[in-house]
Each structure stands twice: as structure tokens, then as C-alpha cells.
Amino acid sequence: MTNNKVKNKLYVPEPTARPGDEPDFSNLKIPKAGELPCPKIDVDQDEIAHFVDGMIRVLDEDGCAVGEWNPNLAVEELKRGLAYMVLVREFDARMLKAQRVGKTSFYMQSLGEEAVSVAHSLALEEDDMFFPTYRQQGLLVSRDYSLEKMICQLLGNKKDPVKGRQLPIMYSSNEKGKGYFSISGNLATQYIQAVGWAMAEAYKGTDNVTSAFVGDGATAEGDVHAAMIFASVYKAPVILNIVNNQWAISSHQYFAGGKSTTFARRGRGYGITGLRVDGNDYLAVYSASKWAANRVRAGLGAVVIEHVTYRAGAHSTSDDPSKYRPDGEAKAWPLGDPIDRLKHHLIKLGAWSEEEHKKLQEEKKKFVTKTYKKAESYGFGENHGLNIADMFTDLYEEMPLRIIRQRQKLGV
Ligand SMILES: Cc1ncc(C[n+]2csc(CCOP(=O)(O)OP(=O)(O)O)c2C)c(N)n1
Ligand SMILES: [Mg+2]
């Protein structure tokens, strides 16, 4: 035994900056747009092993689309994506206000992350199924799901499709072409459910892709391990999206393992193809999602996509990020804002202008306000108009005795 033995010391990661510090993103390596080649969809995953450390980027600093990952979308398609992102942002802003004045109890925005859900959704097909988290309202919006129904869910009124039985923002839709699996408050449960769903699609022999989402923080859940191992072993036709928005409420992504590895690398450990993408670059998200969907649909197994983005707003209306992140961190985020970047690109193409953009924002805002008013007319708060007895319906084929007793006690 030597006496220069080092004592064990528990390591606790610290975020790069705390309130009072200057925001610091110097550890984020950002390759130039267009740097990575776009391989054929049947490429051997070992040949693109380095993609989990790189970053697929298409839009450069001047707003030009460069490199092999450029999806070469028609101008009308770009404008469509922009319009959906603006609609999501206006919707978020309106609902945040509604929460502040007590019309609903809770809200979660996707500010700064709109490209992740909108571009991903538009790159997939109508019958593909989503297993989202609470931060992908853009999936529903870009599939033209009724905004009125979404607001009724948030207000928990008589037109709420889930009859007031879910927390606001926990939407659900089994309508054809909307495919938005009921959101669960228990983080990461949707990941294993998605893989099971994908395995069933494979068993049935459909050509549908299943797409699951999880946040950086929730990747620390054991369910993510179970999902990855099943997805890998059974070559499940599933895209496993990891939205790395840097924070999990007040925990920095380092607490979920982001300091020692990228989240895209998680898939590689299980033998799953991994891509890492600039999540604020609409074209890059679209292109990577399309590539992954094509690969999955061709029977070549699951793909993990890490979307590198930033949660520009608070975690939810129950959170105050000034307590744990430095002032101005969102502004200092080096990958910019997804709406601004796509707008800039369209202007660069000569297909858009600041005036047209303003008009689009006003138009969407008006639409949201009008829809909100209509939804509110169906009730909110104490005047929800819901049938209390519905609390007990649709849930059990055979109602357990204790629930029957609860219902009897309530007299409904
Ligand atoms: C199993 C479980 N643990 C903890 C929570 C509480 N919780 C809700 S959201 C959240 C943070 C999740 O962060 P992340 O996965 O990064 O997603 P983001 O909110 O950033 O989109 C936590 C801890 C929960 N809902 N479920
Ligand atoms: Mg997060």
C-alpha cells in the first residue's frame, strides 16, 4: 500500500453560468453549415459514427441554405413552415396571458423550439404516429388539428376532448392524420410506449413510422434505456428524438449526462444510428427528420436524433428561471431563433419581406384571439360545463369497487 492514495470525492456538475454570471456557451462546438455530407439512407451506421458529435446545419450566418443536407424545399413549403411556427408562437403567447389572468391553471410554451416540432412533423407522413412531450404542440398545430379543441383542453371546459381529466397542455388525439398519443405527466413513459407501438406496426406489416420525443433531462429516466434496447434489438421502425434544450426545469443538461457525452451518442451505445442536428435551423431539422424517416421506413432500424436547441422561456408558468440561469442567456444562445432564421432565409431568397412577416404575425394573432374567444364561450374555471360523472367514465371496462364507492359518495 502506498500512502499517496486519493480519497473519493463526489463530483457534481455545475452549469456553465449561474445568475449574476455572463452567459457562457463556449463549450458548444458549432460546425459550419453545410460541413457534414448527406449519406445514402442505407449507409452503415459505423461510417457516420462521427455524426453524433457533429451537427447537421443548413442555414449559414447569411441566411443561405448550403451543403448536401439542404432539402431544397419550394418557397411555398418554406412559407408554410414559417406560418406554422408563427402560429405556435402566437398561440403560446396568448395562452400564457390566459394563465396569467386565471383563465387556466397552467401552461407550457415551446418558445425558441418551434422548428423542432413543426419541421419534424412536416417531414413525416400523415399516418405516422407521434409520442410527444408537453413541448411539441407544434406537431398538432402543423397537422392542422383544431386550435379551438386545444384551447378547450387548456380551459378544461365542456368541449375539452379529454373531458377535463388531464392537466392543461396534455392533449390527446386519435383523429386520423393527427396521431398524437396522450401526453403523460410521468416523463419518458412515452418512449417505451412508442417503441412498443412501432414494434406492433412492424408486426402488422404497415409502412408507418413512429416518432417519439423526450427532453434532455428525462433521458436520465430508466424508461429511455428500456426503449433504446428494445428499439435496437427488434429494429423497431421508430425515430427517437431527444430535444436538448439545455435545461430540465432548473437542472442543467449536464445533470442528465450532457457534460461527458452528447445525447446523440446515447443511441450509438445501443447500436442505433445517431444524428445530431441544429434544432433552430428549420431546414436542418426537416432534412434530418426526412432522412431518418426514410431510413426507418426502409426497414433499416431505429434512428436517434438529438435536436440541439434552447428553452427560451420559463419551464412552465410555475417556474422562474431568473433564480437559476443568468440574465440574457436566451439572447446569447449561439444558434439564434428558428423563426428569425427562416424569415431571414426567405428574405434572402427575395421571397419575403419584413412587412409580409409583420402581416403574417398579425394575421395569426387575430386568428388565435378569435379562436380563444370562441373556446372561452364554452366555459372555463368554475363554469366549465363538464359533466362531473365523466370523471369515472371511459377508464375501466369493469370499474373497481373502490371507484364505484367514490362515485356513489359523490352522488353522480
Ligand atoms: C418521472 C417524472 N419525474 C419528474 C417529473 C417532474 N418534471 C416535469 S418536467 C421536468 C423537467 C424535464 O426536463 P426535460 O426532459 O429536459 O424537458 P423540457 O421541459 O426541457 O422540455 C421534471 C423534472 C415528472 N413529471 N415525471
Ligand atoms: Mg430540457
Side-chain angles (χ1 to χ4, degrees):
M1 283 280 273
T2 52
N3 56 6
N4 58 352
K5 199 176 150 205
V6 179
K7 284 211 172 111
N8 290 322
K9 193 166 172 251
L10 184 68
Y11 173 70
V12 180
E14 263 303 310
T16 54
R18 282 291 191 194
D21 300 336
E22 279 298 308
D24 180 7
F25 290 111
S26 56
N27 57 345
L28 180 70
K29 291 188 192 75
I30 306 173
K32 277 201 164 65
E35 210 170 82
L36 283 177
C38 183
K40 291 214 167 77
I41 56 155
D42 60 354
V43 67
D44 187 316
Q45 59 171 293
D46 287 339
E47 277 179 45
I48 56 164
H50 59 291
F51 276 43
V52 296
D53 293 318
M55 206 187 281
I56 297 167
R57 306 185 68 226
V58 175
L59 289 172
D60 70 11
E61 285 61 35
D62 300 323
C64 297
V66 297
E68 293 179 15
W69 284 91
N70 181 2
N72 292 305
L73 292 174
V75 162
E76 285 317 306
E77 279 302 298
L78 298 175
K79 286 188 186 172
R80 197 165 155 240
L82 185 72
Y84 282 129
M85 288 201 287
V86 170
L87 176 56
V88 173
R89 192 164 287 186
E90 292 299 332
F91 171 59
D92 276 350
R94 183 66 191 83
M95 293 318 303
L96 196 65
K97 224 160 86 184
Q99 192 276 340
R100 290 292 182 240
V101 295
K103 300 289 169 89
T104 178
S105 56
F106 183 73
Y107 194 66
M108 296 176 101
Q109 319 175 71
S110 63
L111 186 68
E113 299 177 38
E114 294 89 346
V116 174
S117 52
V118 173
H120 184 83
S121 153
L122 295 181
L124 267 65
E125 302 296 327
E126 196 186 326
D127 288 334
D128 295 340
M129 180 73 186
F130 296 131
F131 285 71
T133 80
Y134 43 73
R135 225 178 282 286
Q136 281 86 47
Q137 50 268 57
L139 297 173
L140 273 181
V141 170
S142 58
R143 279 184 160 182
D144 294 322
Y145 181 75
S146 157
L147 204 69
E148 186 182 298
K149 281 188 190 167
M150 290 174 83
I151 300 173
C152 288
Q153 198 280 328
L154 295 162
L155 298 176
N157 66 24
K158 63 182 175 208
K159 295 240 178 183
D160 168 8
V162 288
K163 304 180 186 172
R165 295 176 298 205
Q166 288 256 71
L167 184 80
I169 59 93
M170 297 202 171
Y171 312 106
S172 172
S173 174
N174 60 2
E175 282 174 36
K176 184 159 171 45
K178 311 297 182 217
Y180 193 88
F181 198 79
S182 310
I183 295 180
S184 164
N186 304 313
L187 298 179
T189 49
Q190 74 281 4
Y191 236 46
I192 37 176
Q193 290 159 349
V195 175
W197 184 284
M199 287 167 66
E201 294 278 15
Y203 188 72
K204 287 191 284 188
T206 72
D207 65 354
N208 299 332
V209 169
T210 304
S211 176
F213 287 79
V214 76
D216 47 282
T219 61
E221 283 291 333
D223 286 349
V224 172
H225 160 72
M228 294 252 181
I229 194 76
F230 272 75
S232 168
V233 169
Y234 295 99
K235 288 193 184 297
V238 67
I239 302 176
L240 296 169
N241 296 282
I242 300 173
V243 184
N244 177 6
N245 64 4
Q246 313 304 313
W247 290 94
I249 314 188
S250 58
S251 297
H252 190 257
Q253 47 119 337
Y254 283 179
F255 284 93
K259 184 156 191 184
S260 39
T261 183
T262 67
F263 289 92
R265 272 188 182 227
R266 296 275 173 94
R268 285 287 301 158
Y270 294 89
I272 302 177
T273 309
L275 304 178
R276 192 160 176 262
V277 62
D278 175 347
N280 289 13
D281 176 340
Y282 182 89
L283 297 181
V285 174
Y286 183 93
S287 207
S289 302
K290 192 91 184 167
W291 189 94
N294 288 342
R295 184 173 168 98
V296 168
R297 225 182 291 281
L300 298 163
V303 177
V304 164
I305 307 178
E306 176 185 350
H307 302 263
V308 183
T309 182
Y310 186 82
R311 195 198 76 209
H315 172 74
S316 72
T317 47
S318 311
D319 173 47
D320 174 7
S322 70
K323 296 269 191 294
Y324 56 84
R325 9 185 239 200
D327 256 7
E329 202 181 59
K331 267 216 166 78
W333 174 242
L335 298 175
D337 176 82
I339 294 182
D340 285 351
R341 285 175 71 189
L342 187 56
K343 174 184 94 172
H344 188 197
H345 175 56
L346 274 160
I347 292 175
K348 191 90 189 171
L349 290 175
W352 199 238
S353 65
E354 292 291 352
E355 295 70 48
E356 281 172 293
H357 194 77
K358 228 188 182 125
K359 225 174 108 203
L360 174 71
Q361 283 172 321
E362 277 158 18
E363 185 190 299
K364 296 300 175 199
K365 191 174 181 167
K366 250 195 202 145
F367 171 66
V368 171
T369 304
K370 193 170 139 223
T371 313
Y372 177 80
K373 281 192 179 142
K374 184 131 184 263
E376 203 196 84
S377 74
Y378 301 128
F380 67 93
E382 293 296 313
N383 301 317
H384 48 71
L386 284 163
N387 182 1
I388 297 295
D390 277 341
M391 199 194 310
F392 301 95
T393 56
D394 306 333
L395 299 171
Y396 298 98
E397 192 168 298
E398 276 177 44
M399 209 184 273
L401 193 59
R402 68 189 161 84
I403 306 282
I404 294 175
R405 291 213 175 107
Q406 283 175 18
R407 184 174 179 167
Q408 283 166 347
K409 209 168 159 188
L410 212 60
V412 290

